[in-house]
Amino acid sequence: ISLGNPNLKATHANNYDILYEQYLKPVGIIQGGWFYKAISDPIYTIQSVVASGPYAGYQQTQPQNGSSAYVWGFEAAYQQYLGFLPGSLHGAGISANYSYTASRANGVPGRSDHPALQRQSPNTWNISPTYDRGRLSIRVGLAYNQASIFAYNYTDGTPLGLKGPLGDNYLYTHLQLDAQGSFALPKGFKAVVYGLNLTNEVFGFYQGS
């Protein structure tokens, strides 16, 4: 069951960022940064089980406001065309980034603890080798997202606690491999091939732990 909430307040945030960038020769960049976001009236998706009435036992979701929250972390990125490589490797490149995020939600309805914000993976990274030479262009991407809370389900006094089967709803840790290749054809045409989630990684959920 999905319920609306006409009493929701708009979320506001004050954002603070520090970013450093250094451009590299012949073509490339290295970046590093720190960020902090102070949030008021965050909107949480609250998941619960209906206790009584004709829909007893059904799972119910509803957006609700909390009191406040914050997110902070740092990120780094590197991109470089590897033009110094010899022979057929001339045209290779690399792109990579990493971010660490810590968050805290305050005043989540029905609970006195301070969980992480929803959909905030503590660690994420991407590595993408590239190749561009003549008419050929190839991209391979390996992307990682650590487990994160998808929906709040736990409330104070829930049997078996926060890590039990009635705990919060989490997204699985996800590691995905994608690839794309293109070849320029005569008269402006281009042939493109995509391969998404080549390792058939599962998009899954679990409760509690």
Side-chain angles (χ1 to χ4, degrees), residues 53-199:
Y55 297 103
Y58 278 60
Q59 193 173 76
Q60 172 182 293
T61 59
Q62 183 184 37
Q64 297 183 34
N65 284 114
S67 58
S68 64
Y70 67 77
V71 183
W72 71 271
F74 62 87
E75 53 193 358
Y78 171 71
Q79 184 175 340
Q80 179 72 69
Y81 167 63
L82 306 177
F84 57 85
L85 295 177
S88 60
L89 293 178
H90 187 79
I94 187 72
S95 176
N97 63 71
Y98 167 79
S99 67
Y100 170 78
T101 302
S103 62
R104 171 172 163 151
N106 302 313
V108 179
R111 57 198 294 174
S112 58
D113 64 338
H114 305 283
L117 278 172
Q118 296 164 333
R119 306 302 292 270
Q120 292 295 321
S121 297
N123 293 283
T124 61
W125 53 261
N126 297 270
I127 298 176
S128 178
T130 64
Y131 186 82
D132 295 281
R133 188 171 187 182
R135 298 184 176 186
L136 181 64
S137 179
I138 298 174
R139 300 285 185 275
V140 177
L142 188 63
Y144 172 84
N145 290 277
Q146 193 175 359
S148 63
I149 297 175
F150 180 76
Y152 296 133
N153 187 64
Y154 172 80
T155 56
D156 290 349
T158 295
L160 301 180
L162 187 62
K163 298 298 183 180
L166 298 178
D168 293 325
N169 186 230
Y170 285 81
L171 287 166
Y172 277 134
T173 293
H174 191 81
L175 180 64
Q176 179 169 324
L177 177 66
D178 303 319
Q180 173 189 332
S182 65
F183 188 80
L185 301 173
K187 299 186 182 298
F189 289 94
K190 181 181 288 188
V192 182
V193 176
Y194 293 94
L196 300 179
N197 197 14
L198 296 174
T199 53

